[in-house]
Amino acid sequence: MAEQKMIEVPFQQWVNDKELWVQLNDLMMQESKLPGPRVNLELSDHFAKQFAHPNLTDTGWELLVSWTDITEAEAGVNDPREFLPFCAVRALGAYYSYAGEEQQVVIQNSIKTAMNDSRWRVREASAMALQSIGEDDFTLLRQLIDMWEKGANRLEQRAFVAALAHPPLLKKKENTLYCLQLAAGIMESIDGGGAQHEDAEHFRVLSKGLEYSLSVFVANEPEEGFVMLERFAKSRDARILKIVKSNLGKSRLSKKYAAQVAEILKEFDKIR
């Protein structure tokens, strides 16, 4: 099937004219592909890129803030209107490195709120917003995560690892080593029993994120990465073992690093 051609939208004109906001809202919802299994990522990419510059007007800022304020009660999962906060959070991430200090604080709060949203797509938007920040300046992203890491809940931890498991962010070794260190800290908090009395759904969301993200980090820095996986493969916590085994099964590791994977899998045989 041929790819659908991206619709031509004069975003800058519509965003900066309040009289056209209704028209913009209607078009975004109509083209959202919601309800449905896959939101219109191409359109959200295009929309977010409109804000990757330092010249955001007060009107444009007001639009984004108003969209991020749309709650689940107003637009639940799979409602076409859910596409508006999804796009707004992504756009705020694209603008973050250009924003002034006061606006950055607002964006930080919006992204952190999105991390904890009950709607999975809005949570995904928070991770994608962090990716945009990291692509502009990994130091900025690291500062944010370092600020939030202490005391972060499971949904916030999931946003961190999902954001960092993004190949464009891992081109420098120091970036990947940071990701491995952060992931190891999260794994340690689980291994210590910290998740046992928490919300089961929130832990499930984090676990799903860890079950693939570690393999992305390890594939970029296999020497340090496999040392980490081997350490956690010796855990007696079933949750940790599930995460490790899932990552070892990812083709990015199992095909290129078959010997290292096989060696770590021996640890699982010892447990039986």
Side-chain angles (χ1 to χ4, degrees), residues 115-116 123 151-161 185-207 210 239:
M115 291 178 187
N116 291 280
R123 294 199 302 267
N153 63 37
R154 298 307 183 187
L155 292 180
E156 291 161 2
Q157 290 173 336
R158 186 270 170 187
F160 301 160
V161 296
I186 294 172
M187 293 283 279
E188 287 167 3
S189 74
I190 298 170
D191 203 17
Q196 290 178 353
H197 304 295
E198 297 183 46
D199 186 297
E201 174 60 17
H202 290 184
F203 179 75
R204 185 194 68 80
V205 171
L206 170 61
S207 182
L210 289 169
R239 300 164 301 172

Side-chain angles (χ1 to χ4, degrees), residues 96 130 133-134 137-149 160 164 169 173-179 181-182:
Y96 184 81
L130 292 178
I133 295 170
D137 187 341
F138 191 85
T139 299
L140 278 180
L141 174 58
R142 180 169 178 169
Q143 288 171 351
L144 278 179
I145 294 177
D146 287 346
M147 178 176 66
W148 288 331
E149 179 188 4
F160 301 160
L164 293 170
L169 302 182
K173 180 172 183 174
E174 63 189 278
N175 294 358
T176 307
L177 293 179
Y178 171 76
C179 296
Q181 180 182 20
L182 178 80

Side-chain angles (χ1 to χ4, degrees), residues 8-271:
E8 296 294 331
V9 182
F11 278 121
Q12 291 296 328
Q13 177 185 350
W14 290 13
V15 165
N16 292 309
D17 187 343
K18 287 187 178 182
E19 293 185 0
L20 296 175
W21 280 6
V22 172
Q23 186 174 342
L24 176 60
N25 287 11
D26 289 345
L27 179 134
M28 295 295 282
M29 289 188 288
Q30 178 183 332
E31 298 294 330
S32 68
K33 297 186 179 179
L34 297 177
R38 183 181 181 275
V39 76
N40 192 336
L41 288 175
E42 294 82 4
L43 181 57
S44 69
D45 287 343
H46 188 51
F47 180 82
K49 288 176 182 176
Q50 304 300 312
F51 298 87
H53 60 78
N55 302 315
L56 180 63
T57 65
D58 291 342
T59 304
W61 173 257
E62 184 181 345
L63 175 77
L64 294 183
V65 172
S66 69
W67 281 10
T68 61
D69 287 341
I70 297 173
T71 65
E72 184 182 15
E74 299 170 293
V77 175
N78 235 16
D79 184 317
R81 199 174 183 217
E82 183 192 10
F83 192 53
L84 303 184
F86 176 84
C87 290
V89 171
R90 292 198 63 191
L92 288 174
Y95 175 61
Y96 184 81
S97 63
Y98 303 98
E101 186 175 343
E102 290 185 4
Q103 286 184 324
Q104 284 190 341
V105 172
V106 174
I107 295 171
Q108 291 167 14
N109 291 335
S110 295
I111 292 175
K112 193 169 185 180
T113 297
M115 291 178 187
N116 291 280
D117 200 282
S118 58
R119 295 165 293 187
W120 69 268
R121 286 193 182 91
V122 177
R123 294 199 302 267
E124 197 64 29
S126 72
M128 297 170 85
L130 292 178
Q131 289 172 350
S132 293
I133 295 170
E135 287 182 13
D136 286 339
D137 187 341
F138 191 85
T139 299
L140 278 180
L141 174 58
R142 180 169 178 169
Q143 288 171 351
L144 278 179
I145 294 177
D146 287 346
M147 178 176 66
W148 288 331
E149 179 188 4
K150 187 177 180 179
N153 63 37
R154 298 307 183 187
L155 292 180
E156 291 161 2
Q157 290 173 336
R158 186 270 170 187
F160 301 160
V161 296
L164 293 170
H166 184 51
L169 302 182
L170 305 176
K171 294 177 180 178
K172 294 184 178 179
K173 180 172 183 174
E174 63 189 278
N175 294 358
T176 307
L177 293 179
Y178 171 76
C179 296
L180 285 168
Q181 180 182 20
L182 178 80
I186 294 172
M187 293 283 279
E188 287 167 3
S189 74
I190 298 170
D191 203 17
Q196 290 178 353
H197 304 295
E198 297 183 46
D199 186 297
E201 174 60 17
H202 290 184
F203 179 75
R204 185 194 68 80
V205 171
L206 170 61
S207 182
K208 288 294 185 183
L210 289 169
E211 285 170 26
Y212 76 89
S213 60
L214 299 187
S215 68
V216 179
F217 307 147
V218 174
N220 275 268
E221 288 298 332
E223 183 176 352
E224 295 85 350
F226 278 109
V227 169
M228 180 190 70
L229 289 182
E230 183 176 10
R231 173 159 66 96
F232 287 112
K234 297 175 182 177
S235 171
R236 292 301 181 266
D237 189 314
R239 300 164 301 172
I240 289 290
L241 297 178
K242 179 183 178 183
I243 292 168
V244 172
K245 198 165 188 177
S246 175
N247 282 281
L248 292 173
K250 302 303 181 189
S251 60
R252 64 178 64 93
L253 298 187
S254 62
K255 291 184 177 180
K256 189 173 182 180
Y257 303 102
Q260 292 96 319
V261 167
E263 188 65 26
I264 295 177
L265 286 174
K266 292 179 182 178
E267 295 295 332
F268 289 88
D269 294 333
K270 294 178 184 178
I271 296 173

